[in-house]
Amino acid sequence: MRILRIAIVPALVSVLIGVLTGCGHRGSMHALPPTAGAGNGNVLGAVRKPRTINEAAYPNAVIADTPLAFYRLNDAGSTMSDSGANGLNGSYGTSVGHNAGSLVPNTIDPAAAFPGGAWSANAIGTVAHSTTLQPANIALEAWVSEKSVNSGGYVDLVSYGPQSAGQAYSLQLSPTNTISGFVAVTNSPGYSQFTGSTVLTPGTAYHVVLAYDGTAPKLYVNGKLETGTADGATSGGALGYGGVGTT
């Protein structure tokens, strides 16, 4: 499975990407400015020079939304770099591959390849526990392409906490190979989940988003609001972070 460009942002309303209030100082920063080159002081400017302005449009749009974290997954080493303002760098497991083909239209940035099979700490990217990743409302965004159909259980694409203990929110693949969103909430029965109806096709890139604004999780696939099946609290209330540990 390849995943490119994970962004975690607070959602003000049910839209693809929300904006964090009170952070207007981030508006002028560009992740990939059209004229970027090595040593010019811009974020990731030393990585490479974009070929076109369109190529820079997507990462610049994400940065303009002041994400809590933005993982472009174009790293070459073991560090999973955060291009957002908070510098929440993580690390790749030893089985994660680099320089997979780009998933975002009009870009040539590589993606990261995450192997399937039984769960392994070597096959994921991890970030240390941080209260910065505990906003009242969230939107999780990712680009993903499967190598083969998911035929097992729920597979986390982006999550805060593991399924085994203390998971607060997760953008997932469902056992039926659709997108699912899970949030731990304060209202009974303590969680809210929504599973979409769009069945993914292996080898095809998808832009997927989970948004939660205190009522119920909403899913978007390629910019379109998903229909599907809801489970748990129909009006979830506040996100529940009390059970999330330090792992």
Side-chain angles (χ1 to χ4, degrees):
M1 181 181 297
R2 294 182 294 146
I3 304 178
L4 183 65
R5 307 193 197 287
I6 298 170
I8 303 173
V9 301
L12 295 182
V13 292
S14 299
V15 295
L16 291 186
I17 301 176
V19 179
L20 177 63
T21 58
C23 289
H25 63 284
R26 294 288 296 160
S28 61
M29 179 168 284
H30 298 279
L32 249 179
T35 58
N40 68 353
N42 290 302
V43 174
L44 296 185
V47 175
R48 65 165 182 80
K49 196 174 188 178
R51 294 182 177 180
T52 67
I53 292 176
N54 285 340
E55 187 183 335
Y58 177 78
N60 283 346
V62 175
I63 287 295
D65 269 332
T66 60
L68 298 181
F70 180 21
Y71 302 100
R72 298 180 62 193
L73 305 185
N74 60 348
D75 311 286
S78 60
T79 299
M80 191 170 72
S81 301
D82 175 15
S83 296
N86 294 309
L88 300 176
N89 292 342
S91 59
Y92 293 103
T94 55
S95 298
V96 178
H98 302 289
N99 296 314
S102 177
L103 303 183
V104 181
N106 300 317
T107 71
I108 60 172
D109 271 353
F114 295 85
W119 186 92
S120 168
N122 293 329
I124 62 176
T126 58
V127 178
H129 175 274
S130 173
T131 55
T132 300
L133 298 176
Q134 297 182 2
N137 304 316
I138 61 164
L140 307 182
E141 170 187 1
W143 291 83
V144 60
S145 175
E146 296 175 297
K147 185 177 182 180
S148 60
V149 172
N150 175 41
S151 57
Y154 289 92
V155 178
D156 295 325
L157 299 176
V158 189
S159 69
Y160 186 61
Q163 289 185 24
S164 59
Q167 190 168 54
Y169 51 75
S170 180
L171 177 61
Q172 307 170 325
L173 287 173
S174 78
T176 56
N177 211 51
T178 63
I179 298 297
S180 182
F182 169 89
V183 290
V185 294
T186 54
N187 290 353
S188 178
Y191 75 95
S192 186
Q193 186 163 8
F194 188 86
T195 301
S197 57
T198 299
V199 179
L200 306 190
T201 300
T204 300
Y206 295 89
H207 177 260
V208 295
V209 173
L210 162 64
Y212 182 73
D213 61 3
T215 54
K218 297 177 177 62
L219 295 173
Y220 299 83
V221 175
N222 294 336
K224 183 178 180 181
L225 181 65
E226 281 280 274
T227 59
T229 304
D231 191 21
T234 56
S235 182
L239 282 167
Y241 292 111
V244 177
T246 58
T247 302

